[in-house]
């Protein structure tokens, strides 16, 4: 599957611009000495999600994938890129997260699927924010026809949210214990990490139905070795944690020299993965 770098370059620059805005803002907040609190510690207000962008299938509708943007971005930039993919049978739903105070920005408001205090292995998980975003994804998928296969994917914080959705799907419930309704067929995470990784294995142990669901859910993780925002080791460890918890169909792809952005070669892998795991036949009618 050849996508052609010249055709893709403007769209990749669109996606990368959102990352650079985030990276520059984070650097500025650090330079001014702003302290970083723990994830989930900011005051809560009503969760109001932003605009959702939908890319209609150009061919026969066989699958619907919710794709989640990264911190500081919105659904528009990814919808433009996804529309160019040679996947005519997929309907893409690209929501925009709420704008909320983000601890890593010292409380400065930004689009974010959940709060994050720092990108470290000991960072607190914002369960309330994660549950709200996972519920939003499930709601977006709830009106799809019964014969349509469902997927979720994302970049950076969007990838983290997608992996949290995978956990909820396997467990059959959100972190707050409420039932999780979406029947997801595949998950993709680019340059992200696994939230609540320390407790996932214990939650799955002894839950036979959950173990079965985890074992049958395909997960693709991709990460650049030169990622200086979400370190490569986070992606690598997330893959290992999922496998140890019972997710038997986890593929981890590394890209030498790749920073915190995506490239055509990586999206080629995503296309192949989705085509295979969603059973797409490539029909255009």
């Amino acid at each position: 599957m050849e996508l052609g770098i010249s055709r893709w370059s403007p769209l990749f620059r669109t996606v990368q611009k959102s990352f650079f805005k985030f990276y520059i803002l984070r650097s500025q907040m650090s330079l001014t000495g702003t302290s970083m609190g723990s994830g989930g510690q900011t005051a809560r207000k009503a969760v109001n999600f932003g605009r959702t962008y939908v890319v209609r299938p150009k061919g026969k509708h066989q699958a619907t994938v919710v794709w989640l943007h990264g911190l500081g971005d919105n659904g528009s930039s990814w919808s433009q890129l996804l529309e160019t993919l040679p996947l005519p049978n997929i309907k893409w739903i690209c929501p925009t997260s709420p704008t909320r105070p983000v601890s890593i920005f010292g409380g400065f408001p930004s689009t974010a699927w959940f709060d994050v205090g720092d990108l470290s292995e000991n960072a607190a998980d914002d369960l309330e924010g994660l549950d709200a975003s996972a519920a939003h994804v499930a709601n977006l998928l709830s009106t799809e026809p019964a014969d349509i296969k469902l997927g979720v994917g994302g970049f950076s914080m969007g990838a983290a949210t997608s992996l949290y959705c995978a956990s909820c799907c396997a467990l059959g419930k959100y972190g707050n214990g409420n039932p999780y309704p979406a029947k997801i067929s595949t998950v993709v995470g680019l340059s992200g990490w696994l939230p609540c990784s320390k407790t996932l294995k214990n939650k799955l142990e002894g839950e036979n139905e959950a173990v079965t669901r985890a074992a049958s859910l395909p997960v693709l993780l991709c990460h650049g070795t030169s990622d200086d925002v979400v370190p490569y080791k986070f992606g690598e460890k997330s893959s290992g944690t999922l496998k140890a918890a019972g997710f038997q169909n986890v593929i981890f792809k590394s890209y030498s020299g790749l920073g915190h952005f995506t490239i055509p070669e990586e999206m080629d892998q995503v296309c192949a993965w989705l085509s295979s795991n969603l059973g797409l036949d490539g029909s255009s009618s």
Side-chain angles (χ1 to χ4, degrees), residues 68-163:
L68 306 175
H69 62 76
L71 178 62
D73 200 359
N74 59 63
S76 175
S77 58
W78 276 99
S79 70
Q80 295 174 56
L81 190 155
L82 295 170
E83 189 171 17
T84 70
L85 297 181
L87 294 170
N89 307 117
I90 290 182
K91 172 185 174 181
W92 299 96
I93 301 177
C94 302
T96 300
S97 72
T99 296
R100 66 176 85 217
V102 179
S103 295
I104 201 170
F105 294 158
F108 190 88
S110 177
T111 51
W113 296 109
F114 53 92
D115 189 29
V116 58
D118 58 72
L119 296 177
S120 73
E121 296 182 40
N122 296 317
D125 290 303
D126 175 16
L127 283 174
E128 185 179 350
L130 285 162
D131 276 348
S133 291
H136 187 59
V137 170
N139 184 57
L140 290 171
L141 293 171
S142 65
T143 56
E144 294 303 295
D147 61 337
I148 297 300
K149 291 188 176 181
L150 308 177
V152 60
F155 175 79
S156 193
M157 177 179 271
T161 308
S162 298
L163 293 178

Side-chain angles (χ1 to χ4, degrees), residues 3 24 29 47 49-50 59 61 63 82 94 98 104 108 122 134 141-142 157 189-190 208 220 224 238 250-251 254 278:
L3 301 181
I24 291 170
M29 299 301 289
V47 178
F49 289 86
H61 184 197
L82 295 170
C94 302
I104 201 170
F108 190 88
N122 296 317
L141 293 171
S142 65
M157 177 179 271
L190 310 181
N208 292 336
L220 171 67
S238 295
V250 177
I251 300 297
S254 62
L278 293 175

Side-chain angles (χ1 to χ4, degrees), residues 263-275:
I263 54 175
E265 291 81 359
E266 186 179 44
M267 296 309 295
D268 285 346
Q269 179 66 47
V270 172
C271 288
W273 176 266
L274 292 176
S275 294

Side-chain angles (χ1 to χ4, degrees), residues 204-265:
L204 283 167
E205 284 180 347
E207 300 288 340
N208 292 336
E209 290 185 6
V211 170
T212 300
R213 285 191 293 265
S216 63
L217 181 58
V219 180
L220 171 67
L221 301 180
C222 300
H223 218 108
T225 60
S226 297
D227 193 327
D228 57 352
V229 176
V230 181
Y232 174 79
K233 67 177 182 179
F234 282 23
E236 195 173 38
K237 287 186 176 180
S238 295
S239 172
T241 299
L242 287 168
K243 290 177 181 178
F247 287 78
Q248 296 181 13
N249 189 3
V250 177
I251 300 297
F252 181 75
K253 293 287 186 178
S254 62
Y255 292 84
S256 180
L258 179 63
H260 197 66
F261 50 89
T262 189
I263 54 175
E265 291 81 359

